[in-house]
Amino acid sequence: MAIKCIAIDDELPALELLKNYAARLPDLQLQQVFNDAISAGEYLRHTHTDLMFVDINMPDINGIDLVSSLQQKPLVIFTTAYKKFAYNGFELDAVDYLLKPIDFDRFKKGVNKAIEILQHKSVAKNGEEDVLFVRSEYKMVKILLDEVELIEGLEDYIKINIEGTKPILTLMTMKAILEKLPPAKFLRVHRSYIVCLTKIVSVMNKKLLLQSGKIIPVSDTYITQLQSWIKK
């Protein structure tokens, strides 16, 4: 599938390199390039694109602030000369993080990740709304939401507990995974736990008993949401 993209970098040689690389990949359609984040942000507010390559260290507005400011975010691949920004990219659920000078094969690998994600999103949009796709062990894994009992936060990773099989680990924040889940089916009850509401057997003394026998604590922060669900 051909995907639309833009590139943002305040260094013209870096933009030329990205243009050259994009031209070598038939699945990539480069719509526009920008040498400042402000112009790129204005463009993105009025024009759809599937993917953006954005440098992090730019004057005025850096790449991280630009991505954070967008209400409708395309997929993001950060490009930078500084390893120290990698965690920021992870926090924003970036597809990839390319360290300059960027090698073509590494660039292609990042693009293939983006294509894979967009293909899975297209499948979900066309009728498989009760599925979730996450990256685990260097591949995209399809998860049936009806089989998910519990999601646990483990520092930089989350563990998705699924009925009848081993848990799936993926590099993602609790906030990011919660945004991908239907709120009618899943509820965050603790900083470290998201539960499937249909898997709850009983609620007592700020604790949940799940069908598997697991007992999950409910923190004061989330007790109101749980009580609202119980009253429905």
mmCIF file with all atom_site columns, all heavy atoms in Angstrom, residues 37 54-58 61-70 73 76 78 84-92 97:
data_model
loop_
_atom_site.group_PDB
_atom_site.id
_atom_site.type_symbol
_atom_site.label_atom_id
_atom_site.label_alt_id
_atom_site.label_comp_id
_atom_site.label_asym_id
_atom_site.label_entity_id
_atom_site.label_seq_id
_atom_site.pdbx_PDB_ins_code
_atom_site.Cartn_x
_atom_site.Cartn_y
_atom_site.Cartn_z
_atom_site.occupancy
_atom_site.B_iso_or_equiv
_atom_site.pdbx_formal_charge
_atom_site.auth_seq_id
_atom_site.auth_comp_id
_atom_site.auth_asym_id
_atom_site.auth_atom_id
_atom_site.pdbx_PDB_model_num
ATOM 1   N N   . ALA A 1 37 ? 9.065  23.643 12.219 1.00 0.00 ? 37 ALA A N   1
ATOM 2   C CA  . ALA A 1 37 ? 7.925  22.927 12.789 1.00 0.00 ? 37 ALA A CA  1
ATOM 3   C C   . ALA A 1 37 ? 6.621  23.714 12.683 1.00 0.00 ? 37 ALA A C   1
ATOM 4   O O   . ALA A 1 37 ? 5.544  23.125 12.576 1.00 0.00 ? 37 ALA A O   1
ATOM 5   C CB  . ALA A 1 37 ? 8.215  22.594 14.247 1.00 0.00 ? 37 ALA A CB  1
ATOM 6   N N   . VAL A 1 54 ? 10.138 13.447 11.543 1.00 0.00 ? 54 VAL A N   1
ATOM 7   C CA  . VAL A 1 54 ? 10.347 14.747 12.188 1.00 0.00 ? 54 VAL A CA  1
ATOM 8   C C   . VAL A 1 54 ? 11.611 14.733 13.033 1.00 0.00 ? 54 VAL A C   1
ATOM 9   O O   . VAL A 1 54 ? 11.817 13.847 13.852 1.00 0.00 ? 54 VAL A O   1
ATOM 10  C CB  . VAL A 1 54 ? 9.100  15.161 13.019 1.00 0.00 ? 54 VAL A CB  1
ATOM 11  C CG1 . VAL A 1 54 ? 8.735  14.097 14.040 1.00 0.00 ? 54 VAL A CG1 1
ATOM 12  C CG2 . VAL A 1 54 ? 9.326  16.503 13.695 1.00 0.00 ? 54 VAL A CG2 1
ATOM 13  N N   . ASP A 1 55 ? 12.450 15.740 12.795 1.00 0.00 ? 55 ASP A N   1
ATOM 14  C CA  . ASP A 1 55 ? 13.650 15.931 13.600 1.00 0.00 ? 55 ASP A CA  1
ATOM 15  C C   . ASP A 1 55 ? 13.224 16.423 14.987 1.00 0.00 ? 55 ASP A C   1
ATOM 16  O O   . ASP A 1 55 ? 12.245 17.172 15.126 1.00 0.00 ? 55 ASP A O   1
ATOM 17  C CB  . ASP A 1 55 ? 14.555 16.961 12.924 1.00 0.00 ? 55 ASP A CB  1
ATOM 18  C CG  . ASP A 1 55 ? 15.874 17.155 13.660 1.00 0.00 ? 55 ASP A CG  1
ATOM 19  O OD1 . ASP A 1 55 ? 16.332 16.199 14.315 1.00 0.00 ? 55 ASP A OD1 1
ATOM 20  O OD2 . ASP A 1 55 ? 16.433 18.258 13.590 1.00 0.00 ? 55 ASP A OD2 1
ATOM 21  N N   . ILE A 1 56 ? 13.934 16.015 15.998 1.00 0.00 ? 56 ILE A N   1
ATOM 22  C CA  . ILE A 1 56 ? 13.581 16.422 17.359 1.00 0.00 ? 56 ILE A CA  1
ATOM 23  C C   . ILE A 1 56 ? 14.185 17.769 17.714 1.00 0.00 ? 56 ILE A C   1
ATOM 24  O O   . ILE A 1 56 ? 13.499 18.669 18.201 1.00 0.00 ? 56 ILE A O   1
ATOM 25  C CB  . ILE A 1 56 ? 14.026 15.353 18.379 1.00 0.00 ? 56 ILE A CB  1
ATOM 26  C CG1 . ILE A 1 56 ? 13.169 14.087 18.206 1.00 0.00 ? 56 ILE A CG1 1
ATOM 27  C CG2 . ILE A 1 56 ? 13.896 15.870 19.807 1.00 0.00 ? 56 ILE A CG2 1
ATOM 28  C CD1 . ILE A 1 56 ? 13.522 12.964 19.140 1.00 0.00 ? 56 ILE A CD1 1
ATOM 29  N N   . ASN A 1 57 ? 15.458 17.938 17.452 1.00 0.00 ? 57 ASN A N   1
ATOM 30  C CA  . ASN A 1 57 ? 16.172 19.140 17.898 1.00 0.00 ? 57 ASN A CA  1
ATOM 31  C C   . ASN A 1 57 ? 16.092 20.246 16.845 1.00 0.00 ? 57 ASN A C   1
ATOM 32  O O   . ASN A 1 57 ? 16.938 20.355 15.956 1.00 0.00 ? 57 ASN A O   1
ATOM 33  C CB  . ASN A 1 57 ? 17.633 18.794 18.200 1.00 0.00 ? 57 ASN A CB  1
ATOM 34  C CG  . ASN A 1 57 ? 18.345 19.904 18.941 1.00 0.00 ? 57 ASN A CG  1
ATOM 35  O OD1 . ASN A 1 57 ? 17.710 20.664 19.662 1.00 0.00 ? 57 ASN A OD1 1
ATOM 36  N ND2 . ASN A 1 57 ? 19.644 19.998 18.763 1.00 0.00 ? 57 ASN A ND2 1
ATOM 37  N N   . MET A 1 58 ? 15.020 21.067 16.930 1.00 0.00 ? 58 MET A N   1
ATOM 38  C CA  . MET A 1 58 ? 14.830 22.180 15.995 1.00 0.00 ? 58 MET A CA  1
ATOM 39  C C   . MET A 1 58 ? 14.575 23.460 16.780 1.00 0.00 ? 58 MET A C   1
ATOM 40  O O   . MET A 1 58 ? 14.079 23.417 17.907 1.00 0.00 ? 58 MET A O   1
ATOM 41  C CB  . MET A 1 58 ? 13.637 21.905 15.065 1.00 0.00 ? 58 MET A CB  1
ATOM 42  C CG  . MET A 1 58 ? 13.856 20.761 14.101 1.00 0.00 ? 58 MET A CG  1
ATOM 43  S SD  . MET A 1 58 ? 12.504 20.604 12.901 1.00 0.00 ? 58 MET A SD  1
ATOM 44  C CE  . MET A 1 58 ? 11.154 20.080 13.975 1.00 0.00 ? 58 MET A CE  1
ATOM 45  N N   . ILE A 1 61 ? 10.137 25.521 17.838 1.00 0.00 ? 61 ILE A N   1
ATOM 46  C CA  . ILE A 1 61 ? 9.357  24.396 18.345 1.00 0.00 ? 61 ILE A CA  1
ATOM 47  C C   . ILE A 1 61 ? 10.082 23.111 17.967 1.00 0.00 ? 61 ILE A C   1
ATOM 48  O O   . ILE A 1 61 ? 10.345 22.872 16.786 1.00 0.00 ? 61 ILE A O   1
ATOM 49  C CB  . ILE A 1 61 ? 7.936  24.380 17.746 1.00 0.00 ? 61 ILE A CB  1
ATOM 50  C CG1 . ILE A 1 61 ? 7.183  25.658 18.091 1.00 0.00 ? 61 ILE A CG1 1
ATOM 51  C CG2 . ILE A 1 61 ? 7.157  23.164 18.245 1.00 0.00 ? 61 ILE A CG2 1
ATOM 52  C CD1 . ILE A 1 61 ? 5.825  25.759 17.446 1.00 0.00 ? 61 ILE A CD1 1
ATOM 53  N N   . ASN A 1 62 ? 10.410 22.284 18.952 1.00 0.00 ? 62 ASN A N   1
ATOM 54  C CA  . ASN A 1 62 ? 11.096 21.037 18.598 1.00 0.00 ? 62 ASN A CA  1
ATOM 55  C C   . ASN A 1 62 ? 10.088 19.974 18.164 1.00 0.00 ? 62 ASN A C   1
ATOM 56  O O   . ASN A 1 62 ? 8.872  20.142 18.286 1.00 0.00 ? 62 ASN A O   1
ATOM 57  C CB  . ASN A 1 62 ? 11.986 20.542 19.745 1.00 0.00 ? 62 ASN A CB  1
ATOM 58  C CG  . ASN A 1 62 ? 11.203 20.140 20.977 1.00 0.00 ? 62 ASN A CG  1
ATOM 59  O OD1 . ASN A 1 62 ? 10.135 19.534 20.891 1.00 0.00 ? 62 ASN A OD1 1
ATOM 60  N ND2 . ASN A 1 62 ? 11.734 20.466 22.145 1.00 0.00 ? 62 ASN A ND2 1
ATOM 61  N N   . GLY A 1 63 ? 10.618 18.873 17.648 1.00 0.00 ? 63 GLY A N   1
ATOM 62  C CA  . GLY A 1 63 ? 9.753  17.840 17.092 1.00 0.00 ? 63 GLY A CA  1
ATOM 63  C C   . GLY A 1 63 ? 8.819  17.212 18.106 1.00 0.00 ? 63 GLY A C   1
ATOM 64  O O   . GLY A 1 63 ? 7.676  16.881 17.794 1.00 0.00 ? 63 GLY A O   1
ATOM 65  N N   . ILE A 1 64 ? 9.295  17.044 19.331 1.00 0.00 ? 64 ILE A N   1
ATOM 66  C CA  . ILE A 1 64 ? 8.463  16.451 20.377 1.00 0.00 ? 64 ILE A CA  1
ATOM 67  C C   . ILE A 1 64 ? 7.279  17.351 20.705 1.00 0.00 ? 64 ILE A C   1
ATOM 68  O O   . ILE A 1 64 ? 6.138  16.896 20.824 1.00 0.00 ? 64 ILE A O   1
ATOM 69  C CB  . ILE A 1 64 ? 9.310  16.176 21.630 1.00 0.00 ? 64 ILE A CB  1
ATOM 70  C CG1 . ILE A 1 64 ? 10.301 15.046 21.343 1.00 0.00 ? 64 ILE A CG1 1
ATOM 71  C CG2 . ILE A 1 64 ? 8.433  15.814 22.829 1.00 0.00 ? 64 ILE A CG2 1
ATOM 72  C CD1 . ILE A 1 64 ? 11.333 14.840 22.424 1.00 0.00 ? 64 ILE A CD1 1
ATOM 73  N N   . ASP A 1 65 ? 7.540  18.651 20.829 1.00 0.00 ? 65 ASP A N   1
ATOM 74  C CA  . ASP A 1 65 ? 6.453  19.595 21.119 1.00 0.00 ? 65 ASP A CA  1
ATOM 75  C C   . ASP A 1 65 ? 5.456  19.662 19.962 1.00 0.00 ? 65 ASP A C   1
ATOM 76  O O   . ASP A 1 65 ? 4.251  19.800 20.175 1.00 0.00 ? 65 ASP A O   1
ATOM 77  C CB  . ASP A 1 65 ? 7.016  20.986 21.401 1.00 0.00 ? 65 ASP A CB  1
ATOM 78  C CG  . ASP A 1 65 ? 7.750  21.050 22.735 1.00 0.00 ? 65 ASP A CG  1
ATOM 79  O OD1 . ASP A 1 65 ? 7.512  20.173 23.579 1.00 0.00 ? 65 ASP A OD1 1
ATOM 80  O OD2 . ASP A 1 65 ? 8.569  21.972 22.917 1.00 0.00 ? 65 ASP A OD2 1
ATOM 81  N N   . LEU A 1 66 ? 5.964  19.577 18.736 1.00 0.00 ? 66 LEU A N   1
ATOM 82  C CA  . LEU A 1 66 ? 5.078  19.588 17.575 1.00 0.00 ? 66 LEU A CA  1
ATOM 83  C C   . LEU A 1 66 ? 4.132  18.397 17.615 1.00 0.00 ? 66 LEU A C   1
ATOM 84  O O   . LEU A 1 66 ? 2.912  18.554 17.482 1.00 0.00 ? 66 LEU A O   1
ATOM 85  C CB  . LEU A 1 66 ? 5.900  19.560 16.281 1.00 0.00 ? 66 LEU A CB  1
ATOM 86  C CG  . LEU A 1 66 ? 5.101  19.314 14.990 1.00 0.00 ? 66 LEU A CG  1
ATOM 87  C CD1 . LEU A 1 66 ? 4.092  20.438 14.748 1.00 0.00 ? 66 LEU A CD1 1
ATOM 88  C CD2 . LEU A 1 66 ? 6.041  19.161 13.800 1.00 0.00 ? 66 LEU A CD2 1
ATOM 89  N N   . VAL A 1 67 ? 4.669  17.214 17.788 1.00 0.00 ? 67 VAL A N   1
ATOM 90  C CA  . VAL A 1 67 ? 3.833  16.010 17.816 1.00 0.00 ? 67 VAL A CA  1
ATOM 91  C C   . VAL A 1 67 ? 2.831  16.071 18.968 1.00 0.00 ? 67 VAL A C   1
ATOM 92  O O   . VAL A 1 67 ? 1.657  15.726 18.817 1.00 0.00 ? 67 VAL A O   1
ATOM 93  C CB  . VAL A 1 67 ? 4.709  14.753 17.920 1.00 0.00 ? 67 VAL A CB  1
ATOM 94  C CG1 . VAL A 1 67 ? 3.843  13.506 18.104 1.00 0.00 ? 67 VAL A CG1 1
ATOM 95  C CG2 . VAL A 1 67 ? 5.582  14.608 16.675 1.00 0.00 ? 67 VAL A CG2 1
ATOM 96  N N   . SER A 1 68 ? 3.276  16.548 20.113 1.00 0.00 ? 68 SER A N   1
ATOM 97  C CA  . SER A 1 68 ? 2.391  16.642 21.283 1.00 0.00 ? 68 SER A CA  1
ATOM 98  C C   . SER A 1 68 ? 1.239  17.607 21.051 1.00 0.00 ? 68 SER A C   1
ATOM 99  O O   . SER A 1 68 ? 0.163  17.448 21.625 1.00 0.00 ? 68 SER A O   1
ATOM 100 C CB  . SER A 1 68 ? 3.191  17.088 22.515 1.00 0.00 ? 68 SER A CB  1
ATOM 101 O OG  . SER A 1 68 ? 4.210  16.167 22.827 1.00 0.00 ? 68 SER A OG  1
ATOM 102 N N   . SER A 1 69 ? 1.448  18.611 20.207 1.00 0.00 ? 69 SER A N   1
ATOM 103 C CA  . SER A 1 69 ? 0.429  19.643 19.977 1.00 0.00 ? 69 SER A CA  1
ATOM 104 C C   . SER A 1 69 ? -0.665 19.214 19.005 1.00 0.00 ? 69 SER A C   1
ATOM 105 O O   . SER A 1 69 ? -1.712 19.852 18.914 1.00 0.00 ? 69 SER A O   1
ATOM 106 C CB  . SER A 1 69 ? 1.085  20.925 19.453 1.00 0.00 ? 69 SER A CB  1
ATOM 107 O OG  . SER A 1 69 ? 1.523  20.758 18.107 1.00 0.00 ? 69 SER A OG  1
ATOM 108 N N   . LEU A 1 70 ? -0.433 18.144 18.268 1.00 0.00 ? 70 LEU A N   1
ATOM 109 C CA  . LEU A 1 70 ? -1.382 17.729 17.230 1.00 0.00 ? 70 LEU A CA  1
ATOM 110 C C   . LEU A 1 70 ? -2.527 16.928 17.829 1.00 0.00 ? 70 LEU A C   1
ATOM 111 O O   . LEU A 1 70 ? -2.312 15.965 18.555 1.00 0.00 ? 70 LEU A O   1
ATOM 112 C CB  . LEU A 1 70 ? -0.673 16.883 16.168 1.00 0.00 ? 70 LEU A CB  1
ATOM 113 C CG  . LEU A 1 70 ? 0.451  17.582 15.388 1.00 0.00 ? 70 LEU A CG  1
ATOM 114 C CD1 . LEU A 1 70 ? 1.168  16.562 14.506 1.00 0.00 ? 70 LEU A CD1 1
ATOM 115 C CD2 . LEU A 1 70 ? -0.099 18.720 14.554 1.00 0.00 ? 70 LEU A CD2 1
ATOM 116 N N   . LYS A 1 73 ? -2.976 12.862 15.129 1.00 0.00 ? 73 LYS A N   1
ATOM 117 C CA  . LYS A 1 73 ? -1.571 12.570 14.848 1.00 0.00 ? 73 LYS A CA  1
ATOM 118 C C   . LYS A 1 73 ? -1.433 11.495 13.766 1.00 0.00 ? 73 LYS A C   1
ATOM 119 O O   . LYS A 1 73 ? -2.048 10.432 13.860 1.00 0.00 ? 73 LYS A O   1
ATOM 120 C CB  . LYS A 1 73 ? -0.861 12.081 16.109 1.00 0.00 ? 73 LYS A CB  1
ATOM 121 C CG  . LYS A 1 73 ? -0.754 13.103 17.217 1.00 0.00 ? 73 LYS A CG  1
ATOM 122 C CD  . LYS A 1 73 ? -0.022 12.506 18.420 1.00 0.00 ? 73 LYS A CD  1
ATOM 123 C CE  . LYS A 1 73 ? 0.153  13.525 19.529 1.00 0.00 ? 73 LYS A CE  1
ATOM 124 N NZ  . LYS A 1 73 ? -1.129 13.977 20.090 1.00 0.00 ? 73 LYS A NZ  1
ATOM 125 N N   . VAL A 1 76 ? 4.382  8.515  13.498 1.00 0.00 ? 76 VAL A N   1
ATOM 126 C CA  . VAL A 1 76 ? 5.562  9.369  13.667 1.00 0.00 ? 76 VAL A CA  1
ATOM 127 C C   . VAL A 1 76 ? 6.838  8.539  13.679 1.00 0.00 ? 76 VAL A C   1
ATOM 128 O O   . VAL A 1 76 ? 6.928  7.524  14.378 1.00 0.00 ? 76 VAL A O   1
ATOM 129 C CB  . VAL A 1 76 ? 5.476  10.170 14.983 1.00 0.00 ? 76 VAL A CB  1
ATOM 130 C CG1 . VAL A 1 76 ? 6.739  11.007 15.190 1.00 0.00 ? 76 VAL A CG1 1
ATOM 131 C CG2 . VAL A 1 76 ? 4.241  11.053 14.987 1.00 0.00 ? 76 VAL A CG2 1
ATOM 132 N N   . PHE A 1 78 ? 10.685 9.594  14.476 1.00 0.00 ? 78 PHE A N   1
ATOM 133 C CA  . PHE A 1 78 ? 11.586 10.675 14.878 1.00 0.00 ? 78 PHE A CA  1
ATOM 134 C C   . PHE A 1 78 ? 12.969 10.461 14.268 1.00 0.00 ? 78 PHE A C   1
ATOM 135 O O   . PHE A 1 78 ? 13.459 9.332  14.158 1.00 0.00 ? 78 PHE A O   1
ATOM 136 C CB  . PHE A 1 78 ? 11.710 10.737 16.402 1.00 0.00 ? 78 PHE A CB  1
ATOM 137 C CG  . PHE A 1 78 ? 10.537 11.374 17.085 1.00 0.00 ? 78 PHE A CG  1
ATOM 138 C CD1 . PHE A 1 78 ? 9.716  10.642 17.930 1.00 0.00 ? 78 PHE A CD1 1
ATOM 139 C CD2 . PHE A 1 78 ? 10.256 12.720 16.885 1.00 0.00 ? 78 PHE A CD2 1
ATOM 140 C CE1 . PHE A 1 78 ? 8.639  11.234 18.559 1.00 0.00 ? 78 PHE A CE1 1
ATOM 141 C CE2 . PHE A 1 78 ? 9.173  13.310 17.509 1.00 0.00 ? 78 PHE A CE2 1
ATOM 142 C CZ  . PHE A 1 78 ? 8.361  12.570 18.349 1.00 0.00 ? 78 PHE A CZ  1
ATOM 143 N N   . LYS A 1 84 ? 19.617 10.649 23.576 1.00 0.00 ? 84 LYS A N   1
ATOM 144 C CA  . LYS A 1 84 ? 18.943 10.963 24.836 1.00 0.00 ? 84 LYS A CA  1
ATOM 145 C C   . LYS A 1 84 ? 17.442 11.204 24.681 1.00 0.00 ? 84 LYS A C   1
ATOM 146 O O   . LYS A 1 84 ? 16.703 11.190 25.653 1.00 0.00 ? 84 LYS A O   1
ATOM 147 C CB  . LYS A 1 84 ? 19.580 12.187 25.488 1.00 0.00 ? 84 LYS A CB  1
ATOM 148 C CG  . LYS A 1 84 ? 19.424 13.477 24.678 1.00 0.00 ? 84 LYS A CG  1
ATOM 149 C CD  . LYS A 1 84 ? 20.101 14.647 25.366 1.00 0.00 ? 84 LYS A CD  1
ATOM 150 C CE  . LYS A 1 84 ? 19.942 15.945 24.566 1.00 0.00 ? 84 LYS A CE  1
ATOM 151 N NZ  . LYS A 1 84 ? 20.604 17.079 25.239 1.00 0.00 ? 84 LYS A NZ  1
ATOM 152 N N   . PHE A 1 85 ? 16.980 11.439 23.442 1.00 0.00 ? 85 PHE A N   1
ATOM 153 C CA  . PHE A 1 85 ? 15.559 11.717 23.230 1.00 0.00 ? 85 PHE A CA  1
ATOM 154 C C   . PHE A 1 85 ? 14.733 10.461 22.964 1.00 0.00 ? 85 PHE A C   1
ATOM 155 O O   . PHE A 1 85 ? 13.537 10.546 22.731 1.00 0.00 ? 85 PHE A O   1
ATOM 156 C CB  . PHE A 1 85 ? 15.376 12.678 22.051 1.00 0.00 ? 85 PHE A CB  1
ATOM 157 C CG  . PHE A 1 85 ? 15.895 14.066 22.300 1.00 0.00 ? 85 PHE A CG  1
ATOM 158 C CD1 . PHE A 1 85 ? 16.930 14.576 21.539 1.00 0.00 ? 85 PHE A CD1 1
ATOM 159 C CD2 . PHE A 1 85 ? 15.347 14.863 23.292 1.00 0.00 ? 85 PHE A CD2 1
ATOM 160 C CE1 . PHE A 1 85 ? 17.415 15.845 21.757 1.00 0.00 ? 85 PHE A CE1 1
ATOM 161 C CE2 . PHE A 1 85 ? 15.822 16.138 23.523 1.00 0.00 ? 85 PHE A CE2 1
ATOM 162 C CZ  . PHE A 1 85 ? 16.866 16.637 22.751 1.00 0.00 ? 85 PHE A CZ  1
ATOM 163 N N   . ALA A 1 86 ? 15.367 9.289  22.986 1.00 0.00 ? 86 ALA A N   1
ATOM 164 C CA  . ALA A 1 86 ? 14.653 8.063  22.619 1.00 0.00 ? 86 ALA A CA  1
ATOM 165 C C   . ALA A 1 86 ? 13.436 7.812  23.500 1.00 0.00 ? 86 ALA A C   1
ATOM 166 O O   . ALA A 1 86 ? 12.379 7.404  23.022 1.00 0.00 ? 86 ALA A O   1
ATOM 167 C CB  . ALA A 1 86 ? 15.612 6.872  22.678 1.00 0.00 ? 86 ALA A CB  1
ATOM 168 N N   . TYR A 1 87 ? 13.559 8.052  24.798 1.00 0.00 ? 87 TYR A N   1
ATOM 169 C CA  . TYR A 1 87 ? 12.436 7.788  25.699 1.00 0.00 ? 87 TYR A CA  1
ATOM 170 C C   . TYR A 1 87 ? 11.255 8.701  25.389 1.00 0.00 ? 87 TYR A C   1
ATOM 171 O O   . TYR A 1 87 ? 10.102 8.285  25.484 1.00 0.00 ? 87 TYR A O   1
ATOM 172 C CB  . TYR A 1 87 ? 12.857 7.955  27.152 1.00 0.00 ? 87 TYR A CB  1
ATOM 173 C CG  . TYR A 1 87 ? 11.763 7.565  28.120 1.00 0.00 ? 87 TYR A CG  1
ATOM 174 C CD1 . TYR A 1 87 ? 11.499 6.216  28.379 1.00 0.00 ? 87 TYR A CD1 1
ATOM 175 C CD2 . TYR A 1 87 ? 10.961 8.524  28.730 1.00 0.00 ? 87 TYR A CD2 1
ATOM 176 C CE1 . TYR A 1 87 ? 10.482 5.839  29.234 1.00 0.00 ? 87 TYR A CE1 1
ATOM 177 C CE2 . TYR A 1 87 ? 9.940  8.153  29.593 1.00 0.00 ? 87 TYR A CE2 1
ATOM 178 C CZ  . TYR A 1 87 ? 9.706  6.819  29.841 1.00 0.00 ? 87 TYR A CZ  1
ATOM 179 O OH  . TYR A 1 87 ? 8.688  6.453  30.676 1.00 0.00 ? 87 TYR A OH  1
ATOM 180 N N   . ASN A 1 88 ? 11.539 9.960  24.989 1.00 0.00 ? 88 ASN A N   1
ATOM 181 C CA  . ASN A 1 88 ? 10.459 10.874 24.628 1.00 0.00 ? 88 ASN A CA  1
ATOM 182 C C   . ASN A 1 88 ? 9.673  10.341 23.437 1.00 0.00 ? 88 ASN A C   1
ATOM 183 O O   . ASN A 1 88 ? 8.448  10.461 23.371 1.00 0.00 ? 88 ASN A O   1
ATOM 184 C CB  . ASN A 1 88 ? 11.016 12.256 24.301 1.00 0.00 ? 88 ASN A CB  1
ATOM 185 C CG  . ASN A 1 88 ? 11.777 12.866 25.460 1.00 0.00 ? 88 ASN A CG  1
ATOM 186 O OD1 . ASN A 1 88 ? 12.977 12.651 25.583 1.00 0.00 ? 88 ASN A OD1 1
ATOM 187 N ND2 . ASN A 1 88 ? 11.102 13.605 26.314 1.00 0.00 ? 88 ASN A ND2 1
ATOM 188 N N   . GLY A 1 89 ? 10.398 9.746  22.490 1.00 0.00 ? 89 GLY A N   1
ATOM 189 C CA  . GLY A 1 89 ? 9.731  9.155  21.334 1.00 0.00 ? 89 GLY A CA  1
ATOM 190 C C   . GLY A 1 89 ? 8.836  8.009  21.735 1.00 0.00 ? 89 GLY A C   1
ATOM 191 O O   . GLY A 1 89 ? 7.710  7.868  21.248 1.00 0.00 ? 89 GLY A O   1
ATOM 192 N N   . PHE A 1 90 ? 9.300  7.197  22.652 1.00 0.00 ? 90 PHE A N   1
ATOM 193 C CA  . PHE A 1 90 ? 8.499  6.087  23.168 1.00 0.00 ? 90 PHE A CA  1
ATOM 194 C C   . PHE A 1 90 ? 7.240  6.604  23.849 1.00 0.00 ? 90 PHE A C   1
ATOM 195 O O   . PHE A 1 90 ? 6.147  6.061  23.671 1.00 0.00 ? 90 PHE A O   1
ATOM 196 C CB  . PHE A 1 90 ? 9.364  5.263  24.131 1.00 0.00 ? 90 PHE A CB  1
ATOM 197 C CG  . PHE A 1 90 ? 8.581  4.494  25.153 1.00 0.00 ? 90 PHE A CG  1
ATOM 198 C CD1 . PHE A 1 90 ? 7.722  3.482  24.767 1.00 0.00 ? 90 PHE A CD1 1
ATOM 199 C CD2 . PHE A 1 90 ? 8.708  4.779  26.498 1.00 0.00 ? 90 PHE A CD2 1
ATOM 200 C CE1 . PHE A 1 90 ? 6.998  2.773  25.717 1.00 0.00 ? 90 PHE A CE1 1
ATOM 201 C CE2 . PHE A 1 90 ? 8.001  4.076  27.446 1.00 0.00 ? 90 PHE A CE2 1
ATOM 202 C CZ  . PHE A 1 90 ? 7.134  3.073  27.044 1.00 0.00 ? 90 PHE A CZ  1
ATOM 203 N N   . GLU A 1 91 ? 7.359  7.666  24.643 1.00 0.00 ? 91 GLU A N   1
ATOM 204 C CA  . GLU A 1 91 ? 6.209  8.228  25.347 1.00 0.00 ? 91 GLU A CA  1
ATOM 205 C C   . GLU A 1 91 ? 5.125  8.683  24.384 1.00 0.00 ? 91 GLU A C   1
ATOM 206 O O   . GLU A 1 91 ? 3.942  8.651  24.703 1.00 0.00 ? 91 GLU A O   1
ATOM 207 C CB  . GLU A 1 91 ? 6.669  9.417  26.209 1.00 0.00 ? 91 GLU A CB  1
ATOM 208 C CG  . GLU A 1 91 ? 7.370  9.027  27.489 1.00 0.00 ? 91 GLU A CG  1
ATOM 209 C CD  . GLU A 1 91 ? 6.377  8.565  28.539 1.00 0.00 ? 91 GLU A CD  1
ATOM 210 O OE1 . GLU A 1 91 ? 5.639  9.407  29.061 1.00 0.00 ? 91 GLU A OE1 1
ATOM 211 O OE2 . GLU A 1 91 ? 6.350  7.354  28.820 1.00 0.00 ? 91 GLU A OE2 1
ATOM 212 N N   . LEU A 1 92 ? 5.514  9.124  23.181 1.00 0.00 ? 92 LEU A N   1
ATOM 213 C CA  . LEU A 1 92 ? 4.554  9.605  22.199 1.00 0.00 ? 92 LEU A CA  1
ATOM 214 C C   . LEU A 1 92 ? 4.125  8.501  21.234 1.00 0.00 ? 92 LEU A C   1
ATOM 215 O O   . LEU A 1 92 ? 3.500  8.765  20.220 1.00 0.00 ? 92 LEU A O   1
ATOM 216 C CB  . LEU A 1 92 ? 5.155  10.786 21.419 1.00 0.00 ? 92 LEU A CB  1
ATOM 217 C CG  . LEU A 1 92 ? 5.322  12.075 22.238 1.00 0.00 ? 92 LEU A CG  1
ATOM 218 C CD1 . LEU A 1 92 ? 6.161  13.090 21.477 1.00 0.00 ? 92 LEU A CD1 1
ATOM 219 C CD2 . LEU A 1 92 ? 3.959  12.674 22.579 1.00 0.00 ? 92 LEU A CD2 1
ATOM 220 N N   . TYR A 1 97 ? 12.562 5.367  15.739 1.00 0.00 ? 97 TYR A N   1
ATOM 221 C CA  . TYR A 1 97 ? 13.456 6.424  16.194 1.00 0.00 ? 97 TYR A CA  1
ATOM 222 C C   . TYR A 1 97 ? 14.759 6.226  15.434 1.00 0.00 ? 97 TYR A C   1
ATOM 223 O O   . TYR A 1 97 ? 15.498 5.270  15.697 1.00 0.00 ? 97 TYR A O   1
ATOM 224 C CB  . TYR A 1 97 ? 13.653 6.267  17.704 1.00 0.00 ? 97 TYR A CB  1
ATOM 225 C CG  . TYR A 1 97 ? 14.537 7.293  18.361 1.00 0.00 ? 97 TYR A CG  1
ATOM 226 C CD1 . TYR A 1 97 ? 13.997 8.441  18.931 1.00 0.00 ? 97 TYR A CD1 1
ATOM 227 C CD2 . TYR A 1 97 ? 15.919 7.099  18.440 1.00 0.00 ? 97 TYR A CD2 1
ATOM 228 C CE1 . TYR A 1 97 ? 14.812 9.366  19.558 1.00 0.00 ? 97 TYR A CE1 1
ATOM 229 C CE2 . TYR A 1 97 ? 16.733 8.026  19.059 1.00 0.00 ? 97 TYR A CE2 1
ATOM 230 C CZ  . TYR A 1 97 ? 16.167 9.151  19.621 1.00 0.00 ? 97 TYR A CZ  1
ATOM 231 O OH  . TYR A 1 97 ? 16.981 10.068 20.234 1.00 0.00 ? 97 TYR A OH  1
#
